[in-house]
Amino acid sequence: MAVAALVGLVGCGSGKPFDGPTPESGSPAEPAHVAAYRAGYTVGKAVHDSSGKGAAVRETVWGGCTRRALQADGGAEMDRGSWVRGCLNGVAHVPEQLPSGPVTRRTTDAEMLERFRAWARTGGEAQQVDHARVLTVAQLTEHDYDVELSTDHSAESGKPAAEALAQSFVEWWDGDHGRAGTARNVLVLGADGKRPAARRI
């Protein structure tokens, strides 16, 4: 019964309409969010095939698909929300339900960034946290989201500092801090927009 309910949940996604006929896979005109969905669906289906019906519960309730998206190739970064939706549909063993547009919704949260900065400065980590310029909440599903910290770190020398910043954020987080839904990961982005570090929350 629980699996059946989850199938309905992941099939609905964010409630947005789905496209009609499925375009031919690999088509040059295939939008990025469709390619991301298909990639996630392929991974999710493989998880279902190897783990059975229990995979739907595990990947949905415990955020398995959101974690897998961070380990996927660059295709997931085109639209992580679409990738996660595809993965969830795949593990639920339902037919492909292509999104009609990008799924990931990003909003900045200056207030959360300031609270994190205040905590870090109190702990003597001002120099580290001052590299964080923008905090963005990336909504991936109706309930799950990632936190993205954009920094001025360079691609060449910024990886150790980015990893330390991600670890500090995880230590500070301690729950959802009043936000609805569940935070799954924190990603630290360099000045070039690439991701030198990411941690589970």
Side-chain angles (χ1 to χ4, degrees):
M1 182 67 71
V3 173
L6 286 170
V7 169
L9 173 65
V10 300
C12 292
S14 63
K16 297 202 174 286
F18 296 115
D19 287 337
T22 301
E24 196 173 320
S25 182
S27 164
E30 186 173 75
H33 61 273
V34 172
Y37 176 94
R38 288 186 186 282
Y41 188 89
T42 299
V43 170
K45 189 172 183 304
V47 172
H48 174 275
D49 291 346
S50 64
S51 303
K53 293 181 179 179
V57 176
R58 183 174 60 253
E59 299 296 309
T60 303
V61 175
W62 301 109
C65 281
T66 62
R67 314 288 192 203
R68 292 176 192 281
L70 295 185
Q71 300 165 357
D73 60 23
E77 291 308 306
M78 296 184 292
D79 185 351
R80 273 201 316 281
S82 289
W83 196 99
V84 170
R85 181 183 291 183
C87 178
L88 290 172
N89 286 165
V91 296
H93 201 54
V94 298
E96 284 190 339
Q97 299 172 324
L98 302 180
S100 59
V103 173
T104 308
R105 297 288 180 261
R106 287 183 168 85
T107 55
T108 58
D109 193 329
E111 191 270 339
M112 187 191 295
L113 178 58
E114 276 311 308
R115 285 191 286 122
F116 173 49
R117 281 175 169 164
W119 173 86
R121 287 167 179 155
T122 300
E125 300 178 19
Q127 184 177 7
Q128 177 175 291
V129 77
D130 282 346
H131 287 279
R133 299 294 185 230
V134 179
L135 185 152
T136 303
V137 174
Q139 196 75 35
L140 306 177
T141 71
E142 185 178 352
H143 302 290
D144 296 342
Y145 61 92
D146 287 342
V147 176
E148 299 174 346
L149 289 171
S150 298
T151 71
D152 58 7
H153 290 307
S154 68
E156 295 78 15
S157 59
K159 187 172 176 62
E163 290 176 342
L165 181 62
Q167 181 57 38
S168 292
F169 189 88
V170 171
E171 291 172 7
W172 169 74
W173 187 251
D174 188 24
D176 283 344
H177 281 272
R179 286 192 64 93
T182 303
R184 296 297 187 181
N185 311 286
V186 58
L187 290 71
V188 178
L189 309 178
D192 58 0
K194 295 181 180 179
R195 182 208 332 151
R199 289 288 181 95
R200 286 187 178 191
I201 292 178

